[in-house]
Amino acid sequence: EVQVVESGGGLVKPGGSLRLSCAASGFTFTNAYMAWVRQAPGKGLEWVGRIKSKTDGGTTVHAAPVKGRFTISRDDSKNTLYLQMNSLKIEDTAVYYCTTDLKDWGQGTLVTVSS
Amino acid sequence: QTVVTQEPSLTVSPGGTVTLTCASSTGAVTSGYDPNWFQQKPGQPPRALIYGTSNKHSWTPARFSGSLLGGKAALTLSPVQPEDEADYYCLLYYGGAGVFGGGTKLTVL
């Protein structure tokens, strides 16, 4: 059974940093494209970014609102996906979902940016 | 800035047929935008329904179908069941970056 479990969310002040993790199991993580999607409270879905498998170059694409502040990375030896979030803004407050390139989804982890 | 537009809300009767659409501010939607569709119920993560315009996941009920219609991506439900009441989101890819539509709230009455 495919499972992705997010962790690392919490309360952080504007301008602060946070790293989210996503532990994956039940599939060959090394071959998988992975993505992050977020959802602000009461709002719609927002695509955050995606990372290809290492065999396909391991390159990343980040959405414009987070480019230069957020970085997606992966550790295939640990079957783990990461989202490093720097220079956080109030508008980054959201539930962050880890997905197997939008097919299988985790339950999400809440990030709250507030002073 | 690219905008993907969906109907904010639709209402359908049980047993009926409804089509949700997904339009791009850049022009006609083609298969090259790799349209995806998702269903989200309150308090739950999204669930993938359709990828690559019209391909279903193993769990996607047969009553859901994806297509291109009049320059837009479309999701058709027929016959609609009460449990289909949910928010539906489409996603299009632009040069490798995904953009979600604002979502359609489907009410089954």
Side-chain angles (χ1 to χ4, degrees), chain B:
Chain B
Q1 181 181 344
T2 303
V3 177
V4 177
T5 302
Q6 300 181 242
E7 297 86 358
S9 63
L10 291 170
T11 300
V12 61
S13 300
T17 297
V18 66
T19 297
L20 290 65
T21 67
C22 177
S24 171
S25 62
T26 61
V29 175
T30 65
S31 59
Y33 288 86
D34 192 19
N36 280 245
W37 290 92
F38 306 86
Q39 177 192 64
Q40 188 178 33
K41 296 183 177 179
Q44 296 182 17
R47 182 174 75 141
L49 293 174
I50 301 289
Y51 64 98
T53 304
S54 58
N55 299 293
K56 300 179 187 182
H57 293 286
S58 59
W59 53 79
T60 304
R63 61 183 182 276
F64 289 85
S65 63
S67 64
L68 296 176
L69 198 63
K72 301 178 184 180
L75 177 70
T76 299
L77 290 70
S78 182
V80 175
Q81 303 296 312
E83 61 266 30
D84 297 335
E85 183 161 292
D87 293 328
Y88 291 84
Y89 295 92
C90 68
L91 175 134
L92 302 177
Y93 281 103
Y94 298 84
V99 179
F100 279 99
T104 295
K105 184 176 185 60
L106 182 66
T107 301
V108 181
L109 272 179

Side-chain angles (χ1 to χ4, degrees), chain A residues 31-53:
Chain A
N31 295 341
Y33 287 30
M34 300 293 293
W36 289 98
V37 173
R38 68 184 180 181
Q39 186 169 35
K43 302 296 185 183
L45 301 175
E46 183 178 18
W47 189 89
V48 173
R50 176 206 230 182
I51 186 167
K52 292 183 177 181
S53 62

